[in-house]
Amino acid sequence: MSSILGIVLALVLLMALAYRGVSVLILAPLMALLAALFTPGAPLLASYTQVFMPALGSFVIAFFPLFLLGAVFGKLMEASGAARIIAQGIVTGLGEQRAVLAIVLACAVLTYGGVSLFVVAFAVYPIAAALFRHADVPKRLIPGTIALGAFTFTMTALPGTPAIQNAIPMPYFGTTPFAAPGLGLIGGVVMLVLGTLWLTRRAARARDQGEGYGDDADAPALDDPANASKASATGRPANVPSAPPLAFSGHAFALAMAPVVLVIALNYALATWVFPSLNTAYLAEARFGATHINNLRGIWAVIGALSAAIVLLLVLQRRHLTTLVPTLEAGATSSVLPLLNTASQVGFGAVIASLAGFTLIRDAVLGIAPGNPLVSMSIAVNILAGITGSASGGMSIALQTLGDTWLAMGQAAGIAPDLLHRVTAIATGGLDALPHNGAVITLLGICGLSHRKSYFDIFMVAVAFPLLALVAVVTLGTVFGSF
């Protein structure tokens, strides 16, 4: 009983202190050792050096290339102006009468193409602020609109997304980024449609009540590129007048979109055709991990697609990248903290899993629906993502501790690994967006708004509707299997 108390106390403190801004790099090992302290016979130093650190290191070994390449690609898209051109092109094409949908799709295209959600928030906010002001849509809806496009269906549901949340399940289940594409599309459509309808109706209701954009002196002008770069550097937009969206060049838009399209297309080709057709018998050797190509092709495909997209972006946008080396260094540096934060949470989960009290918790979770691991998986991943305030962190802890068990249960129940992958990914995108989530806090900071003003809409589009989508996918997957 004391072991369970220690685990619960550690999880509560992890959530509470993370919400107050304490670094996970500090919290994760301390909370892991606190939990171990409540377990009789659990050696503290051995729990740290022999359990926590190997788990952390294993995550870094497996996923460092994805964090690095994704961060570099996002930084290059931002620095070259390509991300802003794509957003402007979509906004201009749809017009101010569809302001909400335009911003949602702009964010979705960028994140589905591999651009970090943080980069997307910085790049799109100046455009959203000017568009919403011109269309007289309340500014308080901007965070929810960006969250819908960047934090939801492109992060977890759409097949092929290079988001880390779609990559983490691959080595556990031997799947690719395109696992269960039909179910992923259905889940994505549920999130997109419900979220867009919600925000559009909220905007219409505000218009009927005479509420406009609101008093705000920081809306940036779209005709001044310096404002976008200043917003990216400071996290706050420049204090300048607003302006309607600019006309955009079709040629510039095509050049900006080319790397994004390449990421998606090459990711599919490599995972589906290229790597499976190669002679990779050498992977069975001990020096290569005694593994199989099915366990690696998903990660290899994302690495190859992002690498090729970076090269293409450098070729097409070279004249706009006036400080190339500093930009590459900034991208590489920005990948380290998210990687180590997530890896530390994996180490925390490994220590928790090694404690006596975890056996009782595990049995309780698995006993929720013993014949259908999709249910217990959905609940466990959501709860852990909510506690840690991190989709990737919650998923990593869950898979680190129960991944093999869920895979065995799935095989026994005739559930395809692809379905396990997709349900796991979608499950990360629910309770992760609670108020203490780092992305939520950052987004509100970028927009200059408070939780009180804007979090309700974020909750609806990034928590409530993704949970409904998860229920739909689990139900369809249980009845029809993976498709």
Side-chain angles (χ1 to χ4, degrees), residues 44-428:
L44 294 185
L45 288 178
S47 295
Y48 179 67
T49 62
Q50 307 307 116
V51 180
F52 183 95
M53 287 308 300
L56 180 152
S58 296
F59 185 88
V60 172
I61 290 171
F63 296 108
F64 173 67
L66 273 60
F67 278 85
L68 174 64
L69 292 171
V72 169
F73 180 65
K75 184 60 68 174
L76 289 172
M77 288 287 289
E78 178 187 24
S80 67
R84 190 166 179 264
I85 290 171
I86 292 172
Q88 278 188 264
I90 294 173
V91 166
T92 304
L94 290 176
E96 69 175 50
Q97 69 276 15
R98 298 184 179 89
V100 168
L101 180 61
I103 296 302
V104 169
L105 292 182
C107 294
V109 168
L110 290 169
T111 50
Y112 189 54
V115 182
S116 161
L117 58 89
F118 293 103
V119 171
V120 169
F122 278 119
V124 173
Y125 170 71
I127 298 170
L131 178 64
F132 275 43
R133 177 184 282 273
H134 193 69
D136 212 23
V137 176
K139 180 188 177 184
R140 60 182 172 81
L141 297 180
I142 292 179
T145 304
I146 293 177
L148 175 60
F151 297 3
T152 61
F153 58 98
T154 58
M155 184 179 80
T156 63
L158 292 191
T161 175
I164 192 65
Q165 290 80 5
N166 192 41
I168 290 175
M170 295 189 297
Y172 292 96
F173 301 133
T175 49
T176 75
F178 293 86
L183 289 170
L185 287 172
I186 291 172
V189 168
V190 171
M191 296 181 212
L192 172 61
V193 171
L194 292 180
T196 303
L197 288 175
W198 170 266
L199 292 169
T200 302
R201 184 171 181 179
R202 293 273 285 174
R205 181 178 299 174
R207 182 171 56 251
D208 293 341
Q209 294 175 350
E211 179 186 358
Y213 181 80
D215 295 329
D216 177 37
D218 68 4
L222 293 182
D223 55 356
D224 184 359
N227 292 325
S229 60
K230 185 174 181 181
S232 297
T234 64
R236 292 299 305 273
N239 185 12
V240 295
S242 63
L246 288 172
F248 70 100
S249 161
H251 178 67
F253 182 78
L255 291 180
M257 279 294 298
V260 172
V261 173
L262 181 63
V263 169
I264 299 167
L266 191 57
N267 189 0
Y268 181 80
L270 291 174
T272 306
W273 300 318
V274 177
F275 290 134
S277 67
L278 297 178
N279 180 10
T280 55
Y282 60 86
L283 291 175
E285 298 178 23
R287 59 177 173 153
F288 296 118
T291 186
H292 189 272
I293 186 60
N294 287 341
N295 298 324
L296 298 173
R297 59 178 175 147
I299 291 178
W300 284 8
V302 177
I303 291 174
L306 285 174
S307 298
I310 288 172
V311 173
L312 180 61
L313 180 59
L314 291 174
V315 172
L316 297 179
Q317 303 288 345
R318 182 65 183 89
R319 66 189 182 91
H320 299 294
L321 294 167
T322 55
T323 56
L324 178 58
V325 173
T327 300
L328 292 172
E329 290 178 348
T333 301
S334 68
S335 71
V336 175
L337 185 59
L339 171 67
L340 290 181
N341 278 341
T342 306
S344 293
Q345 290 170 335
V346 172
F348 170 83
V351 173
I352 296 298
S354 71
L355 302 178
F358 179 76
T359 302
L360 299 176
I361 297 174
R362 180 198 62 197
D363 292 344
V365 170
L366 296 178
I368 294 173
N372 188 351
L374 300 178
V375 176
S376 64
M377 178 188 300
S378 300
I379 294 173
V381 172
N382 251 300
I383 290 174
L384 288 171
I387 289 171
T388 60
S390 166
S392 56
M395 173 196 287
S396 298
I397 292 173
L399 291 178
Q400 176 80 17
T401 54
L402 292 170
D404 292 340
T405 302
W406 281 323
L407 181 59
M409 291 174 65
Q411 291 172 338
I415 297 175
D418 280 10
L419 180 53
L420 296 174
H421 173 132
R422 187 55 54 207
V423 169
T424 303
I426 294 177
T428 66

